[in-house]
């Protein structure tokens, strides 16, 4: 059994293939829904068909909420189901998760499924599908518990019990007025310990943190992280309560945004899947590689323009990898810190000038220490003080400039509303190669007469 596998796949497969229905259901339904989804993902179409035959739509919906498969696989999976069965699965899922799946199906299939679904479920799902996928509206659910401010506590407890089976969470309850505007929030504990003759408006907190339905999901995730909420209300521009976003959805958003940032820093358009074909994998990486190829030609042109300098002092070529490499490394380090600060929102509370100045100082100090070490090595090996000073000086300046570039480019991109992760490591490294070569050979050419 696989190290990460916490269920016996071989046992489940044998039970299914031998049509041992009762034992399969007993074994499968005793598993956590995450384990059920893992088993489904690891199984082929033959196993899927037997599962559809033995499990109710509700039982399948429970683990479909936790599926983690490629977006284009949903169409194939739903093609293998009977239409009525598929519609019943989506009805029994959380509305937000059902919408996530339906957004990856063909328009024809969506229309068919919505036509078959219960009218109320179809209405809720259609309403959520109108919102942009990466906004608060795109990740919210309409399955929440709300009470009017004029509701007595005793009646409120009964209403919570009535709404609980369909709600994503029962621990946070939202208070609304007669116009369904969000005016307060309370916990289940607040409701339980309150006096029966109290009203919701007496025990609710009026300090409500909410997000707008059009807010970017990354901003929503930041708000959730800042306040440590398990559920966050979503409102329109008139503060009407439209839905809630729960912590499980935000964890998915954080994971998605982290993958996007990592992709950008790695210089690829998207993280490669192990199932991607060679052509698909190459197509994801080629755009940046082609850009970097043209930028690399600039570096080659610079080296060619200093051909005379290299002919006269060939030893200069030995230190090109060190200077360009260290400049790129320092820039990448600064870039990672800058992108992290932007992503977590820390940069909003700090002066951009102070951030850049701090990074420049760190780059200069790091460059100076590395330069002293390199100067010492050159003196021991080559006994050429002037060459050592040129290399050390170039290294210090190149690392300082590289650090500033790595810090300031993401800030500029963020100001222009461009994803700062696009300022990828390879991009910063190549730019710093160009700058460091100009610095190095500029200094070498200036002091050429003393080197010969």
């Amino acid at each position: 059994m696989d190290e990460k596998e916490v269920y016996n796949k071989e046992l489940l497969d044998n039970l299914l293939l031998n049509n041992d229905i009762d034992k399969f259901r007993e074994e499968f339904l005793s598993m956590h829904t995450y384990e059920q989804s893992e088993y489904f993902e690891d199984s082929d179409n033959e196993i899927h068909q037997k599962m559809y035959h033995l499990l109710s739509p509700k039982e399948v919906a429970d683990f479909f909420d936790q599926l983690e498969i490629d977006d284009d696989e949903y169409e194939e999976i739903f093609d293998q189901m009977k239409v009525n069965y598929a519609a019943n699965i989506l009805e029994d899922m959380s509305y937000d998760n059902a919408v996530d799946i339906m957004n990856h199906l063909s328009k024809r299939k969506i229309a068919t499924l919505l036509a078959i679904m219960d009218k109320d479920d179809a209405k809720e799902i259609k309403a959520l599908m109108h919102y942009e996928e990466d906004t608060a509206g795109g990740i919210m659910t309409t399955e929440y518990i709300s009470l009017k401010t004029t509701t007595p506590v005793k009646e409120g407890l009964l209403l919570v019990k009535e709404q609980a089976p369909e709600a994503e969470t029962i621990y946070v309850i939202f208070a609304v007025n007669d116009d369904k505007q969000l005016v307060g929030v309370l916990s289940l504990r607040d409701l339980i310990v309150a006096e029966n003759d109290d009203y919701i408006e007496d025990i609710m907190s009026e300090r409500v943190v909410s997000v707008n339905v059009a807010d970017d999901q990354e901003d929503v995730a930041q708000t959730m992280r800042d306040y440590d909420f398990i559920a966050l209300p979503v409102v329109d521009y008139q503060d009407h309560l439209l839905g809630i976003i729960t912590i499980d959805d935000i964890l998915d958003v954080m994971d998605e945004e982290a993958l996007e940032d990592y992709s950008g820093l790695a210089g690829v358009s998207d993280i490669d899947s192990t199932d991607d074909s060679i052509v698909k994998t190459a197509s994801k990486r080629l755009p940046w590689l082609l850009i970097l190829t043209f930028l690399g030609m600039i570096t080659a042109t610079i080296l060619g323009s200093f051909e005379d300098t290299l002919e006269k002092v060939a030893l200069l070529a030995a230190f090109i990898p060190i200077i360009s490499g260290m400049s790129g490394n320092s820039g990448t380090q600064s870039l990672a810190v800058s992108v992290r600060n932007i992503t977590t929102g820390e940069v909003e509370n700090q002066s951009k000038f102070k951030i850049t100045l701090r990074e420049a100082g760190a780059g200069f100090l790091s460059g100076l220490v590395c330069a002293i070490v390199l100067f010492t090595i050159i003196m021991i090996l080559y006994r050429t003080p002037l060459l050592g000073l040129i290399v050390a000086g170039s290294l210090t300046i190149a690392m300082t400039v590289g650090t500033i570039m790595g810090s300031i480019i993401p800030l500029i991109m963020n100001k222009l509303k461009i994803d700062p992760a696009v300022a990828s490591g390879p991009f910063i490294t190549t730019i710093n190669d160009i700058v460091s070569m100009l610095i190095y050979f500029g200094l070498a050419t200036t002091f050429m007469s003393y080197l010969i």
Side-chain angles (χ1 to χ4, degrees), residues 54-122:
L54 299 180
L55 299 173
S56 70
K58 177 68 174 69
E59 290 164 344
V60 174
D62 287 341
F63 69 80
F64 259 46
D65 275 329
Q66 300 206 29
L67 280 184
E68 294 182 3
I69 58 177
D70 290 340
D71 296 342
D72 54 2
E73 290 184 50
Y74 283 111
E75 184 77 26
E76 183 182 346
I77 287 172
F78 276 79
D79 278 341
Q80 296 163 2
M81 295 181 194
K82 292 181 179 178
V83 178
N84 287 341
Y85 189 86
N88 290 335
I89 289 174
L90 292 168
E91 286 175 357
D92 289 322
M93 292 179 66
S94 300
Y95 289 142
D96 55 331
N97 291 333
V99 169
D100 288 342
I101 289 177
M102 293 187 72
N103 280 331
H104 303 302
L105 302 179
S106 65
K107 290 183 179 179
R108 184 178 178 181
K109 187 171 291 296
I110 291 171
T112 302
L113 291 169
L114 288 173
I116 297 172
M117 281 184 196
D118 174 81
K119 288 184 178 179
D120 291 337
D121 291 325

Side-chain angles (χ1 to χ4, degrees), residues 340-401:
R340 176 194 170 277
N341 288 340
I342 291 170
T343 303
T344 59
E346 292 179 25
V347 74
E348 302 297 332
N349 303 319
Q350 301 179 45
S351 164
K352 309 297 186 295
F353 176 74
K354 285 185 178 179
I355 292 173
T356 306
L357 195 63
R358 183 188 64 201
E359 288 298 323
F364 174 76
L365 186 59
S366 301
L368 187 62
V369 172
C370 292
I372 291 171
V373 171
L374 191 56
F375 177 80
T376 304
I377 293 171
I378 290 172
M379 286 301 296
I380 293 171
L381 295 178
Y382 304 107
R383 302 183 184 279
T384 311
L386 184 56
L387 176 64
L389 286 172
I390 290 173
V391 173
S394 299
L395 183 63
T396 304
I397 298 170
M399 287 182 67
T400 304
V401 173

Side-chain angles (χ1 to χ4, degrees), residues 154-378:
K154 186 176 181 180
E155 183 184 340
L157 284 167
L158 294 174
L159 289 171
V160 168
K161 189 174 181 180
E162 184 182 310
Q163 298 176 47
E166 301 298 326
E168 281 263 335
T169 178
I170 65 171
Y171 301 108
V172 184
I173 301 164
F174 301 97
V176 296
N177 60 20
D178 291 336
D179 295 324
K180 210 188 172 186
Q181 289 177 308
L182 180 64
V183 292
V185 64
L186 62 150
S187 66
L188 181 61
R189 178 184 295 183
D190 295 332
L191 191 63
I192 292 172
V193 302
E195 298 294 332
N196 284 339
D197 55 355
D198 283 341
Y199 290 88
I200 297 301
E201 61 187 353
D202 298 325
I203 61 173
M204 72 182 190
S205 170
E206 295 181 4
R207 298 186 63 182
V208 186
V209 177
S210 62
V211 293
N212 187 274
V213 69
D215 286 350
D216 186 89
Q217 64 177 13
E218 196 167 353
D219 297 330
V220 175
Q222 185 60 49
T223 302
M224 204 87 152
R225 185 190 292 119
D226 290 342
Y227 287 92
D228 289 332
F229 287 154
I230 60 170
L232 191 61
V234 181
V235 298
D236 62 14
Y237 71 99
Q238 291 182 323
D239 286 333
H240 294 113
L241 181 60
L242 301 178
I244 65 168
I245 298 171
T246 51
I247 187 63
D248 60 314
D249 294 314
I250 288 301
L251 289 175
D252 291 338
V253 170
M254 290 178 179
D255 185 44
E256 182 183 324
E257 296 295 341
L259 283 173
E260 284 181 7
D261 289 345
Y262 181 79
S263 297
L265 289 171
V268 293
S269 58
D270 192 12
I271 292 294
D272 298 336
S273 168
T274 53
D275 297 325
D276 285 349
S277 65
I278 295 173
V279 174
K280 189 173 182 180
T281 300
S283 66
K284 288 180 180 180
R285 303 178 185 181
L286 268 175
W288 268 115
L289 292 174
L290 289 172
I291 293 171
L292 296 175
T293 299
F294 285 110
L295 289 175
M297 287 301 298
I298 298 175
T299 307
T301 303
I302 291 170
L303 289 174
S305 65
F306 288 103
E307 187 178 355
D308 292 341
T309 304
L310 279 170
E311 283 182 359
K312 292 175 182 176
V313 186
L315 190 56
L316 287 170
F319 301 100
I320 292 175
I322 297 175
I323 293 172
S324 63
M326 292 300 289
S327 174
N329 291 339
S330 62
T332 303
Q333 288 178 336
S334 180
L335 169 68
V337 172
S338 189
V339 170
R340 176 194 170 277
N341 288 340
I342 291 170
T343 303
T344 59
E346 292 179 25
V347 74
E348 302 297 332
N349 303 319
Q350 301 179 45
S351 164
K352 309 297 186 295
F353 176 74
K354 285 185 178 179
I355 292 173
T356 306
L357 195 63
R358 183 188 64 201
E359 288 298 323
F364 174 76
L365 186 59
S366 301
L368 187 62
V369 172
C370 292
I372 291 171
V373 171
L374 191 56
F375 177 80
T376 304
I377 293 171
I378 290 172

